[in-house]
Amino acid sequence: MDNITALGGDVYEIDTRMAGYAGITAGYLILGDRPCLVETGTSTSAPVVRDALASLGVGPNDLATVVVTHIHLDHAGGVGDIAGFFPQAQIVVHEKGARHLADPSRLMASARMVWGDQLDTLFGELAPTESGRIVALGDTGAIDLGNGRTLSSHYSPGHAKHHVGLVDSATGDLYVGDAAGVYLPQTGDLRPATPPPDFDLQTALDSIALFQALGPQRLLFSHYGPVGAVQETLERSAEELRVWVDLTKQAHQEGLDLDHAVAMVRDRTRERYTALKSDDETAEQFELLSGAPSNVAGILHWLNKVSP
């Protein structure tokens, strides 16, 4: 299948084809004795992911574990559907996200307020998962991949209060979720992901510092793909956060409303990203991955909390 890429170490990147686009959200299959899916993608992507797993030899009763870095719908919207397709799989999530997977009604209501009619096209509906199948992680935890191989989880809030990073003991891969921002492989661009309501600058920087301290061999971005230049990329993640916060702070101090703040930040960061100088399709993909309105709104929400 053309949406599967072998990354070595029995790890396979699966393009979940979010909303029909390529290169927006990746799921990853670790194909050991106890096959594990990291990130499900959206609800509408679930059949794409199921078919990709089937083509890799993982049938309905073969998947041992599904783990999500956090419960935002582009990462975990497909959990309920995937749980239905793979009835033996345990569903692993940070304890602050567990109840929302069992009963998604509040999460879906708030998502609908943000996305409106776009919700159905972009994400679909998160179906509930039986609570007995959900394993809730604390600040650290370990997922058994079989044969002595583990996926260790590390609580990494700042982007979301239910976010974990995951380290594979066999490969040294670190699944960064959204805590290190979003990466565009075509151009090498990296941009922060700071949506409301959970963004907090110091917490986000602390999570990046934790990732640096873990000493991973490779970063696997949910948006999008593998990156080998680990320390350089994490330093860039922290720098991008500071740039966006500084610019949004200026707009805030000047009393600009959201639309004008977004326009200012967009204008002053444009030169940082090759994607915005290239073809319209790449620029559109970048904006879908990490929209300036959502980033600026999240930073403003945080600024209003810390300095109302």
Side-chain angles (χ1 to χ4, degrees), residues 93-117:
V93 63
H94 187 262
E95 59 194 5
K96 289 192 170 156
R99 66 192 173 95
H100 295 291
L101 295 186
D103 177 6
S105 52
R106 275 181 60 189
L107 180 69
M108 289 309 302
S110 63
R112 196 163 288 285
M113 277 173 61
V114 174
W115 294 98
D117 293 343

Side-chain angles (χ1 to χ4, degrees), residues 14-295:
I14 298 165
D15 188 332
T16 69
R17 296 288 197 260
M18 175 174 151
Y21 291 90
I24 297 292
T25 299
Y28 294 94
L29 178 69
I30 304 170
L31 193 57
D33 273 10
R34 292 176 51 75
C36 174
L37 176 67
V38 179
E39 313 285 50
T40 64
T42 64
S43 167
T44 48
S45 299
V48 173
V49 174
R50 175 198 59 199
D51 294 350
L53 265 55
S55 77
L56 291 165
V58 179
N61 293 313
D62 300 328
L63 190 65
T65 316
V66 175
V67 54
V68 292
T69 59
H70 60 304
I71 60 166
H72 289 165
L73 294 177
D74 47 341
H75 299 256
V79 164
D81 300 282
I82 293 290
F85 294 148
F86 298 96
Q88 306 301 315
Q90 285 191 318
I91 312 299
V92 184
V93 63
H94 187 262
E95 59 194 5
K96 289 192 170 156
R99 66 192 173 95
H100 295 291
L101 295 186
D103 177 6
S105 52
R106 275 181 60 189
L107 180 69
M108 289 309 302
S110 63
R112 196 163 288 285
M113 277 173 61
V114 174
W115 294 98
D117 293 343
Q118 276 186 292
L119 183 75
D120 302 314
T121 321
L122 284 176
F123 306 113
E125 189 84 21
L126 171 59
T129 299
E130 302 155 47
S131 55
R133 291 178 60 189
I134 298 172
V135 177
L137 297 165
D139 283 357
T140 57
I143 295 146
D144 177 15
L145 300 175
N147 261 350
R149 184 175 183 176
T150 57
L151 195 61
S152 60
S153 75
H154 301 269
Y155 185 45
S156 44
H159 168 82
K161 63 177 184 283
H162 37 70
H163 194 292
V164 296
L166 302 155
V167 180
D168 183 336
S169 65
T171 59
D173 287 332
L174 169 59
Y175 295 85
V176 293
D178 282 350
V182 303
Y183 176 77
L184 193 64
Q186 297 96 305
T187 58
D189 284 320
L190 184 70
R191 188 160 161 176
T194 60
D198 292 350
F199 172 69
D200 179 274
L201 178 61
Q202 194 54 54
T203 311
L205 291 172
D206 289 347
S207 291
I208 293 171
L210 167 67
F211 287 176
Q212 288 172 312
L214 290 169
Q217 298 299 303
R218 180 168 64 171
L219 305 175
L220 296 184
F221 281 85
S222 302
H223 318 284
Y224 185 94
V227 178
V230 172
Q231 296 301 333
E232 179 191 328
T233 302
L234 291 173
E235 280 166 23
R236 173 99 187 270
S237 297
E239 181 192 345
E240 290 291 329
L241 276 173
R242 291 192 181 98
V243 166
W244 279 69
V245 166
D246 286 347
L247 288 171
T248 304
K249 208 175 264 182
Q250 280 178 38
H252 187 244
Q253 285 162 351
E254 289 169 25
L256 299 183
D257 64 13
L258 178 61
D259 289 348
H260 287 92
V262 168
M264 188 195 103
V265 175
R266 201 178 248 155
D267 187 50
R268 295 198 190 169
T269 53
R270 186 175 302 280
E271 286 306 305
R272 299 181 70 79
Y273 309 117
T274 310
L276 302 183
K277 301 168 199 159
S278 52
D279 64 87
D280 289 347
E281 198 175 301
T282 310
E284 183 191 347
Q285 182 183 355
F286 200 38
E287 200 56 36
L288 195 65
L289 278 167
S290 166
S294 145
N295 280 350

